[in-house]
Amino acid sequence: MATLRAAQKEMTRKLLLDAGLDLFGSKGYATTTVDDIASVAGTTRVTFYAYFPSKVDLMKALVSERLNAALDRLPSAEHGSTERELVAVVEDGSRERIRGWLASTSERWDVIRPYTTAAFEAAAVDPEIRALLDEWLNEAIGDIKEGLDRAGRFPAGTRHFRGVIAITELDHVARHWKPGTWGVGRDEMLDVLTESWIGSIGRH
């Protein structure tokens, strides 16, 4: 019975997270209420609060659990979470490794876009989510800096800023690009993005 109850609890939590993500995408974060989420999940407001203290906490779970999992980000003592492959790719710094990593990551953009879109919308109206999103982006920037530190590439004082440039442009492209957007197909988009990354963080 205990195993069954645990499974039921996990399923209810999953339904609430799914409902929240769907509603944030269709109605927008600001206008979605706890009652909306509970209703779509087939449960009640009281049940929602048994799992999440607030809508903010549900959004936090979407980022820290699902988004990080989709991006292969693992817990890190140094800076919250890390993607070890990204660190290794930056350390290597070659065109081949960078383009390969960008190509692999781009295959997940359709999966991660609902999460990042909802998170950016939530950040615009909620300081807690803004802080969480800033922290999340800084963790990815930290991966770039760590790779550059390991390689000893570029002046040490510029490495963090180079990470800011690389991750900011990657995040923007990942959230907005679809085939044909800005007049470029996937291969062209990856070629140009690779060129930019080579210029800011790669091995010349």
Side-chain angles (χ1 to χ4, degrees):
M1 284 298 291
T3 303
L4 178 59
R5 278 197 299 273
Q8 288 172 333
K9 285 184 70 174
E10 187 58 36
M11 177 55 71
T12 299
R13 191 174 188 277
K14 178 183 182 300
L15 289 171
L16 289 166
L17 287 167
D18 289 345
L21 183 64
D22 288 346
L23 285 165
F24 296 157
S26 59
K27 284 188 65 172
Y29 177 85
T31 56
T32 296
T33 66
V34 166
D35 285 330
D36 291 335
I37 297 170
S39 177
V40 169
T43 186
T44 66
R45 181 186 185 89
V46 171
T47 299
F48 177 97
Y49 285 120
Y51 289 84
F52 301 102
S54 68
K55 182 175 72 170
V56 172
D57 289 282
L58 184 141
M59 186 70 244
K60 286 180 179 178
L62 287 173
V63 172
S64 63
E65 297 171 22
R66 292 192 173 184
L67 184 54
N68 276 346
L71 290 170
D72 296 329
R73 299 198 63 79
L74 302 171
S76 162
E78 289 78 20
H79 48 94
S81 71
T82 186
E83 184 186 352
R84 290 171 186 155
E85 179 62 15
L86 175 56
V87 176
V89 164
V90 174
E91 181 180 6
D92 177 274
S94 67
R95 182 179 304 275
E96 294 72 26
R97 287 288 298 276
I98 287 175
R99 195 186 191 286
W101 184 87
L102 289 170
S104 175
T105 296
S106 73
E107 293 172 0
R108 294 177 282 185
W109 288 354
D110 286 343
V111 173
I112 68 171
R113 192 175 292 120
Y115 296 95
T116 53
T117 300
F120 270 83
E121 185 181 333
V125 297
D126 193 297
E128 282 190 72
I129 300 300
R130 190 178 313 126
L132 176 69
L133 191 58
D134 286 345
E135 180 184 330
W136 181 75
L137 288 169
N138 279 330
E139 289 168 3
I141 291 165
D143 285 342
I144 300 280
K145 182 180 181 299
E146 183 178 342
L148 291 176
D149 286 344
R150 289 185 183 182
R153 198 159 59 248
F154 302 113
T158 71
R159 291 171 191 161
H160 178 83
F161 181 52
R162 289 175 181 279
V164 171
I165 292 171
I167 293 301
T168 299
E169 68 179 358
L170 175 63
D171 169 72
H172 186 83
V173 173
R175 281 188 293 122
H176 298 287
W177 182 85
K178 291 179 181 177
T181 303
W182 306 313
V184 294
R186 183 172 184 271
D187 284 343
E188 292 170 305
M189 176 273 294
L190 287 170
D191 286 344
V192 174
L193 193 54
T194 299
E195 285 294 333
S196 182
W197 270 42
I198 289 292
S200 58
I201 64 171
R203 199 156 26 94
H204 298 163

